[in-house]
Structure formats: structure tokens, C-alpha cells
Amino acid sequence: MADLFASNIETIRDGVVLLRGFADARVLLPLIDDIASVSPFRSMTVPGGKSMSVATTSCGARGWYTDARGYRYETIDPVTGRPWPAMPDAFRTLAIDAAARAGFVGFDPDSCLINRYAPGAKMGAHVDKDELDFNQPIVSVSLGLPARFKIADAVIPLSDGDVVVFGGPARKAKHGVSPVAAGALPYRFNLTFRRAGP
């Protein structure tokens, strides 16, 4: 399996690795539907009062959340009052395998933030800094509509199934997503795997 993907792995810059076509939407999209049936997608508000243009949900032991109180991880979904759905085995295996192929062996995600981008939605430049262990990388999986992912001084065009892993010297790099263009599919989904807790 390693040889199959070797030619599709590209180092963008120190600490940023792109794995083209690594994820299979046919496996992952039904699992997203299952998660959203328990913890529905919602439009969250950032501390400044603006609504995010993406709709979000989470799975795993911790879910990322934002409101007037600030950015944080929660073990209970504030919308449902119940724990977030468990992270599917296929999600966890994908994240661990992608991280290892990018050179980050031992990644153990406990959170997966799922962002749903309708055409026109975007993600402003930001740094993932609500986690406790910055030695663990971020694994970002792109499904559905294409997108342009910006990280540090690089712009990466992403297609369905592409995975970006960033860590080490790039772990605290600013990154974001340009407005998503309309296309043949209704949405772009992004799975962001992190180690949030101890």
C-alpha cells in the first residue's frame, strides 16, 4: 500500500505534506451523515459576534466549539447536551495512516472537527492553538467541491480526497480556505483531526 501512494505524496514546505487522492469519499460521506444525525451541523458564532460561513459538527472525545465565551473544546455537545458521536474507526485509521505517511508517527487524534462549506463559504486565516500538545500534527481531509487551501506562504489547490498534514515547524502556521466555488457537488466537507486533550 505504501508504494501505491508514494508518488502521490508531496512536501509543500517543511512540516507540510500533501497526499493526493488519499481519502475515499464513498466511505467517509455516509459516516458524516451518521454523525450529523446525532450532532447536527450548526452555524457557530465567533467571540466577536460574527457567524462563521461554514456549518460545523464534531466527533470524538472532544468537539471544537465557539461562541461569545471563546474558542474551546467541549466533551459534551452544547446543542444536544449529549457527548459528541464517537469517532468512526475509518476516520481514526485514515488520520493515523495519513500522519504516518507524512512522517508524524504516533499521531493519536481525539477530536475531528467537520466543516461543511456551501458555495461561497470560506475560512479566514487562523492558527490552531486551542490544543494542549503542539507536538501532534493536524490532519486535514478535503471531500467534495474543490478548494484553495492557504498555509503560510503556500496556496494548495485541493480536490476530493486530498489530505494535508502539517506539524513540526508548521504546526502553528496560519492557514485558511478561500471562498469555495459552486460546482457539480453541493458542498465541500473538511475533516480536521487533532489531538486536543492530554
Side-chain angles (χ1 to χ4, degrees):
M1 188 172 180
D3 291 339
L4 177 64
F5 289 103
S7 62
N8 294 331
I9 299 176
E10 179 183 352
T11 298
I12 303 299
R13 54 172 292 160
D14 193 14
V16 181
V17 178
L18 171 63
L19 295 86
R20 288 277 183 209
F22 192 76
D24 189 345
R26 295 170 298 179
V27 173
L28 301 176
L29 290 177
L31 297 174
I32 293 173
D33 289 341
D34 291 344
I35 291 163
S37 71
V38 177
S39 284
F41 281 101
R42 74 288 307 261
S43 294
M44 293 196 287
T45 302
V46 300
K50 292 185 178 180
S51 294
M52 297 177 67
S53 64
V54 300
T56 66
T57 187
S58 288
C59 66
R62 296 171 176 84
W64 186 84
Y65 206 77
T66 177
D67 56 19
R69 290 174 48 207
Y71 306 110
R72 62 195 184 277
Y73 285 94
E74 297 277 8
T75 57
I76 300 297
D77 180 351
V79 170
T80 67
R82 301 192 300 268
W84 299 97
M87 187 183 299
D89 289 342
F91 276 30
R92 182 179 298 280
T93 299
L94 169 65
I96 291 171
D97 194 15
R101 291 177 190 276
F104 299 99
V105 177
F107 179 48
D108 184 19
D110 62 358
S111 178
C112 177
L113 171 64
I114 306 170
N115 289 326
R116 184 181 69 191
Y117 292 73
K122 63 180 181 179
M123 183 65 66
H126 65 282
V127 175
D128 291 342
K129 57 184 178 181
D130 302 313
E131 302 76 34
L132 297 182
D133 184 359
F134 295 110
N135 292 315
Q136 297 270 2
I138 304 291
V139 175
S140 178
V141 179
S142 189
L143 303 170
L145 290 171
R148 290 171 61 83
F149 179 70
K150 301 178 181 180
I151 182 164
D153 56 357
V155 178
I156 309 171
L158 295 177
S159 299
D160 181 45
D162 291 346
V163 178
V164 177
V165 182
F166 56 100
R171 173 58 181 77
K172 293 184 181 179
K174 272 194 173 183
H175 57 282
V177 177
S178 300
V180 171
L185 299 170
Y187 297 112
R188 174 188 184 249
F189 291 95
N190 177 243
L191 311 179
T192 304
F193 294 93
R194 303 164 175 157
R195 180 72 190 182

